[in-house]
Amino acid sequence: DMNSARHGRRLLAATFALAGFTAPLTAQSFPTDDLVIRQIWAEGMTERSRAAGLAQVLLDSIGPRLTGSPGHLAAVEWLERTYRAWDIPVRREQYGTWTGWRRGHTHLDLVAPRVRTLEATMMAWSPGTTRPVEAEVVEFPDVASEAEYAAWLPAARGRFVLVSFPEPTCRPDENWDRLARPGSVDRLRATREADRRAWAARIARAGAGAVRRLDDAGAAGVLTTRWSDGPQARWTAGWGVTKIFDAPTRRIPALSLSCEDYGLVARLTRNAQGPRLRLDARAEALGTVPVFNVVAEMRGTERPGEYVLLGAHLDSWDAASGATDNGTGTVMMLEAARLLRLAYPNPRRTILVGHWGGEEQGLIGSRAFAEDHPEVVANLQVALNQDNGTWRIDYLRMMGLTDAGASFARWLSRIPSEITGAITLDLPGVPETGGSDHVAFLCSGAPSFRLQSHYPDYRQYTWHTNRDTFDKVVLDDLRNNATLAAMLAYLASEDPERVSRERRTLPGWPACAPARRVSNR
């Protein structure tokens, strides 16, 4: 966890008084007279930055980029057009196939005992309806055994089934802690935890695949919600936030409701007040479709067979716009490539920019690239990946590659302190074995690292949620991060020394799991 690793060494770039030089905007310290660093700054940290415009097109116009969806393909094509307009060679590489799916509209209304339009969306790859459907609501049954559940299943036919635990409150815990009386907080937590355990036991007693069996039972659809409380929880949420993933069904619609509206429908159902819902949800199954990585390449002039790799995943979940997961990373690396093309058009080593597909399905795009390009993995100078939210890059974990810290210290010392001053370099840095695409290369033996931003509110409010939208992006930090990535790529490319691959392990450190190349949902 990033926060627990803050004991790492803080790096502060040296500050020099540069006589006769006026820094663009707020820059006050250029540690060297490196003209490439200065040009990257002048293009990336001023009004000449393209980061905001690129982000607006990707997040608002193209939108979410679910693997196998037309949105993902549109983003692939947009990246290709953009790189070609900048005269940067680019290619798409198919890494497999996936289940294609196009989202249509979702309209869900409570029509009895009163009328209310509900906040709901289809889950990814859910079947839709061919016409509006109106039906009663029932709760997943409290059965004693799988056989009793099988006997109940005919009662689900033609009805919507509530399959998630209905939260007693949708206020975040911090709100209760700050404003409620201690006795109220204690009673809430004790009751809620007991009820959550009882609900999990109810689902377990129905047997493996219990929700999926509602497909065969002919239910009108399943209703879910995924909310949890407080910034310390693994699946965190705040006001109005719901995490939305893929459908648990294959033939009937699966809908994710807001915490508040799911609770409303559940209370009406439990109190026998006759809730009826009207659903009009459209989706199109597209069969098996090809899926791609996009790779831009700036060929090295002196050491073309050695590589610097910038990476970020292009795919997203599609409850919102995929802004901070991982539109910001995509735009960061795209803008970094533009800065390098302008300030450093003839790199010493080959610089690659990988926009990975299928990260949300288990890093399958980046793992396939590593498998298909052993020459890149074997000759990587360094790989730098970004995949978490907005805010400035402030943390670099050395992943057990402790000698690589010397390379990063050398590079960061040449970058203005306005960028590096907030960065913590963690040595030795417990290696990650999952999480994002840097692991695909790290677990193949290459020096691969995550450029990491501040985490807590990302987990709470935007990661995989219905609120991951353009307005959450901090554009000043996006410019900062793109500029940092370009500077690091330049310095790594020019460095006469190779980054060490010497790995040190300590007892209890995790080991990499074998990579699996997966196609299709």
Side-chain angles (χ1 to χ4, degrees):
D1 179 79
M2 184 186 73
N3 293 323
S4 64
R6 293 286 181 185
H7 53 76
R9 192 168 68 207
R10 183 159 312 267
L11 293 178
L12 297 176
T15 302
F16 293 86
L18 300 175
F21 180 76
T22 301
L25 289 184
T26 60
Q28 298 174 346
S29 59
F30 282 87
T32 74
D33 59 359
D34 190 314
L35 294 180
V36 174
I37 291 291
R38 296 186 183 203
Q39 188 173 351
I40 290 173
W41 176 284
E43 188 69 31
M45 294 291 282
T46 71
E47 69 280 356
R48 285 144 64 177
S49 169
R50 297 281 298 278
L54 293 169
Q56 192 277 324
V57 172
L58 178 63
L59 304 178
D60 287 345
S61 187
I62 296 172
R65 302 161 304 281
L66 184 73
T67 296
S69 72
H72 188 272
L73 181 59
V76 167
E77 294 171 344
W78 172 73
L79 283 173
E80 291 174 326
R81 291 193 304 270
T82 303
Y83 277 116
R84 287 170 183 152
W86 296 341
D87 198 28
I88 298 176
V90 64
R91 62 186 183 269
R92 73 172 75 175
E93 295 187 2
Q94 182 177 345
Y95 65 83
T97 59
W98 206 254
T99 300
W101 184 77
R102 186 195 307 272
R103 176 184 292 282
H105 63 253
T106 304
H107 299 309
L108 183 65
D109 298 293
L110 177 70
V111 295
R114 62 185 177 94
V115 175
R116 173 183 168 85
T117 295
L118 303 177
E119 184 179 357
T121 188
M122 280 185 297
M123 303 177 79
W125 297 290
S126 170
T129 62
T130 57
R131 56 180 176 77
V133 174
E134 188 172 315
E136 299 173 346
V137 183
V138 295
E139 191 174 60
F140 194 91
D142 188 4
V143 295
S145 66
E146 186 171 351
E148 188 174 327
Y149 178 63
W152 174 87
L153 278 172
R157 185 170 187 81
R159 293 180 170 89
F160 292 107
V161 183
L162 297 161
V163 300
S164 296
F165 172 69
E167 294 288 340
T169 177
C170 301
R171 289 180 180 271
D173 270 13
E174 61 82 19
N175 190 250
W176 283 84
D177 290 337
R178 182 164 49 89
L179 298 173
R181 294 180 178 181
S184 298
V185 175
D186 293 342
R187 281 189 293 275
L188 167 69
R189 286 184 168 147
T191 302
R192 182 178 58 188
E193 290 310 308
D195 289 346
R196 283 177 176 170
R197 290 193 296 269
W199 186 272
R202 173 188 298 208
I203 300 293
R205 286 194 298 271
V211 174
R212 180 72 60 83
R213 295 178 67 183
L214 294 167
D215 269 330
D216 296 330
V222 298
L223 307 178
T224 74
T225 191
R226 196 163 196 168
W227 185 94
S228 61
D229 51 298
Q232 306 307 316
R234 176 67 176 91
W235 305 103
T236 55
W239 293 102
V241 176
T242 306
K243 296 191 186 322
I244 303 176
F245 296 93
D246 54 330
T249 56
R250 292 294 184 270
R251 294 197 295 277
I252 60 175
L255 303 165
S256 177
L257 278 68
S258 69
C259 178
E260 294 83 358
D261 282 349
Y262 188 90
L264 166 64
V265 175
R267 290 189 300 274
L268 292 171
T269 303
R270 285 185 171 181
N271 289 288
Q273 291 166 358
R276 289 184 65 83
L277 303 181
R278 186 177 189 270
L279 172 66
D280 184 9
R282 303 304 166 92
E284 182 181 0
L286 302 176
T288 299
V289 300
V291 282
F292 306 99
N293 296 315
V294 178
V295 182
E297 178 173 337
M298 290 168 274
R299 189 73 174 164
T301 56
E302 295 181 31
R303 298 185 181 182
E306 297 178 12
Y307 300 89
V308 174
L309 174 61
L310 300 178
H313 74 87
L314 178 61
D315 64 304
S316 75
W317 291 102
D318 76 331
S321 302
T324 65
D325 188 20
N326 188 31
T328 44
T330 298
V331 170
M332 170 183 165
M333 296 310 183
L334 178 62
E335 170 72 350
R338 185 185 74 88
L339 300 178
L340 288 164
R341 181 70 181 86
L342 293 172
Y344 185 53
N346 299 302
R348 188 181 193 195
R349 293 178 171 90
T350 295
I351 298 176
L352 302 175
V353 185
H355 299 278
W356 313 121
E359 190 273 347
E360 301 293 1
Q361 284 68 55
L363 322 183
I364 57 176
S366 56
R367 290 188 190 278
F369 181 87
E371 180 182 329
D372 293 343
H373 295 279
E375 77 287 357
V376 173
V377 174
N379 295 288
L380 264 180
Q381 167 74 334
V382 70
L384 301 170
N385 190 71
Q386 208 282 338
D387 176 25
N388 73 287
T390 194
W391 311 119
R392 294 177 58 166
I393 301 301
D394 66 357
Y395 182 68
L396 290 169
R397 180 190 303 182
M398 288 298 97
M399 307 289 181
L401 298 166
T402 53
D403 293 341
S407 296
F408 279 93
R410 189 163 56 249
W411 302 336
L412 291 171
S413 71
R414 299 176 64 85
I415 296 174
S417 61
E418 288 79 5
I419 293 177
T420 63
I423 295 177
T424 295
L425 187 64
D426 181 15
L427 291 168
V430 179
E432 294 177 279
T433 58
S436 195
D437 294 295
H438 59 291
V439 172
F441 304 96
L442 181 71
C443 289
S444 297
S448 182
F449 306 90
R450 179 194 290 223
L451 300 175
Q452 196 156 308
S453 300
H454 189 57
Y455 236 82
D457 76 331
Y458 167 66
R459 287 290 194 199
Q460 186 172 8
Y461 283 102
T462 62
W463 179 68
H464 298 167
T465 77
N466 57 336
R467 298 292 183 257
D468 193 11
T469 46
F470 175 85
D471 57 286
K472 308 307 186 303
V473 178
V474 180
L475 294 172
D476 283 348
D477 290 348
L478 182 57
R479 286 187 285 268
N480 174 92
N481 295 347
T483 302
L484 171 64
M487 289 178 176
L488 286 174
Y490 155 64
L491 293 166
S493 173
E494 285 292 304
D495 198 333
E497 298 184 33
R498 290 292 299 271
V499 176
S500 173
R501 296 186 173 214
E502 184 69 25
R503 185 182 304 278
R504 301 176 186 178
T505 61
L506 294 175
W509 280 12
C512 286
R516 293 189 306 119
R517 188 162 186 159
V518 180
S519 286
N520 287 331
R521 177 173 174 259

